Amino acid sequence: MDNAPFAPGSVSIRIYLHDGLPAPEIVRYELAQAKRAVEVGFDGVMMGEHHGGFPGYIPNTIQTAGWMLNAMPHGWVAPAPVLLPLKPWALIAEEIAWLSAAFPGRVGFGAGTGSWQADFDIMELSKDDYIETYHRSLGLIAKALRGEAEGEFAKDWAIMHCRQAPVPLVTASATPRGVRAAAANGAGILFESMTAPERLRELAGKYRDAGGTGPIILIRRVWMGEGTFGRQDKQMGVYRGYGSDTTSQYWQGNQLINGDADEVAERLAEAAREVGADAINLRVQVPGVQPDEMMDQIERLGPMVAKLKGMWPWKT
């Protein structure tokens, strides 16, 4: 294993906002959690984008990634997913490329479509053709983060530096078209936390059949000790309220993995084997989880992460 973002065998954690607190306090907690996560053994941190106070999510993921990298003694950060239809693709590519120049080898990037109507309303954008916008932006960003941009944009110094130091890229994809697009653009896959493993394995096969060679990362929700099923089920209800039928039809039950360090590590490794995943990204926090609970979970996850890494490679 190496320490590059999304590296095979890596175990990372997702950081979410604690709602209902003053903004400066929210920032303090998210930076402290990112710092402590890598100190106890996580390889990196990811966070997802939504706007307008969507519970737990971060509106300024790329900016927040910079704060986290400055606070963390080591490890990588990946805004993942960033919702491509909400910003000009060139602006996203510039921000990621310059962040990577500031923190060499410690920045990854994850692309997503988004589907929550309020995100588009807040940005004063039409949701019409947002899937097509996503696919066009993905192709252009993928080229830019490999240092293969064209025209005037190719003269940007950080974009040019991507020729020597490409930024690792994954897509939050849960459809056949999505995984084929990832393969075509040299990106890996970030599988969400609610779909049953058998469906994800099918999509992983389609990705590999399409020539995809990047990492397949499995998100799974975990809790050390007795589970928080009520809070998890409530969050799934939020996602069902705006998620597309194409993906939500494969959400089967509560995929939460809980127990002691040995139990959680074994079940995560088994899920990764079943899907064919190369790396694992863990979600602990959902709305209702308090800052002290989250920090306690990070501490308790440290021994589990060490056990899980010791089981690599999971696919054998």
Side-chain angles (χ1 to χ4, degrees):
M1 294 188 296
D2 61 42
N3 294 319
F6 317 134
S10 63
V11 181
S12 56
I13 191 170
R14 306 191 69 74
I15 299 295
Y16 292 84
L17 301 185
H18 291 282
D19 305 305
L21 300 174
E25 196 169 345
I26 291 173
V27 172
R28 180 169 62 84
Y29 281 127
E30 64 185 355
L31 299 189
Q33 290 167 10
K35 177 177 182 290
R36 191 59 188 148
V38 295
E39 288 175 340
V40 304
F42 283 97
D43 295 291
V45 171
M46 298 190 209
M47 77 289 285
E49 175 185 357
H50 278 302
H51 298 266
F54 188 101
Y57 280 74
I58 297 173
N60 54 334
T61 52
I62 299 175
Q63 181 184 38
T64 301
W67 301 340
M68 288 180 173
L69 286 161
N70 193 55
M72 293 159 51
H74 53 82
W76 51 264
V77 177
V82 172
L83 306 183
L84 303 192
L86 300 183
K87 276 186 180 180
W89 71 268
L91 181 59
I92 295 172
E94 285 176 341
E95 291 177 349
I96 290 294
W98 280 100
L99 186 62
S100 181
F103 297 94
R106 298 182 63 194
V107 176
F109 177 69
T113 60
S115 61
W116 191 40
Q117 180 63 52
D119 282 335
F120 293 85
D121 294 342
I122 290 166
M123 296 299 163
E124 298 184 328
L125 295 169
S126 170
K127 195 179 171 184
D128 295 346
D129 299 322
Y130 77 103
I131 297 294
E132 299 308 318
T133 299
Y134 163 81
H135 282 284
R136 178 178 181 274
S137 295
L138 174 62
L140 292 165
I141 290 172
K143 289 180 65 177
L145 296 184
R146 294 194 300 268
E148 299 173 2
E150 299 175 352
E152 289 296 312
F153 189 59
K155 299 177 183 178
D156 180 280
W157 295 106
I159 295 297
M160 285 194 288
H161 183 66
C162 290
R163 297 173 193 165
Q164 289 76 46
V167 177
L169 170 64
V170 297
T171 70
S173 300
T175 66
R177 183 185 181 187
V179 300
R180 287 193 294 267
N185 287 289
I189 298 291
L190 179 64
F191 281 142
E192 43 84 352
S193 64
M194 295 169 288
T195 297
E198 54 268 23
R199 170 60 175 173
L200 297 180
R201 183 170 186 82
E202 177 186 340
L203 291 170
K206 293 181 183 297
Y207 171 70
R208 297 301 187 201
D209 289 345
T213 59
I216 295 174
I217 305 168
L218 177 65
I219 302 177
R220 274 299 176 258
R221 288 171 286 133
V222 299
W223 189 267
M224 300 302 295
E226 295 185 8
T228 57
F229 290 95
R231 291 184 289 197
Q232 298 281 348
D233 287 339
K234 183 177 180 181
Q235 185 64 14
M236 284 189 68
V238 171
Y239 292 139
R240 289 186 184 278
Y242 73 92
S244 71
D245 293 339
T246 304
T247 55
S248 63
Q249 64 178 311
Y250 297 105
W251 296 351
Q252 297 178 5
N254 195 323
Q255 299 291 328
L256 178 69
I257 294 174
N258 68 294
D260 62 25
D262 289 333
E263 291 173 317
V264 172
E266 288 284 353
R267 291 176 63 190
L268 286 170
E270 177 56 34
R273 279 193 294 268
E274 187 173 354
V275 170
D278 302 293
I280 296 175
N281 182 233
L282 301 182
R283 175 171 184 171
V284 177
Q285 186 177 333
V286 292
V289 173
Q290 300 302 307
D292 58 342
E293 289 182 283
M294 182 63 187
M295 192 62 83
D296 178 66
Q297 284 290 304
I298 290 172
E299 296 290 342
R300 296 175 68 183
L301 281 164
M304 189 284 298
V305 170
K307 292 177 184 293
L308 182 57
K309 287 184 181 182
M311 297 176 184
W312 171 258
W314 303 306
K315 292 189 289 186
T316 59

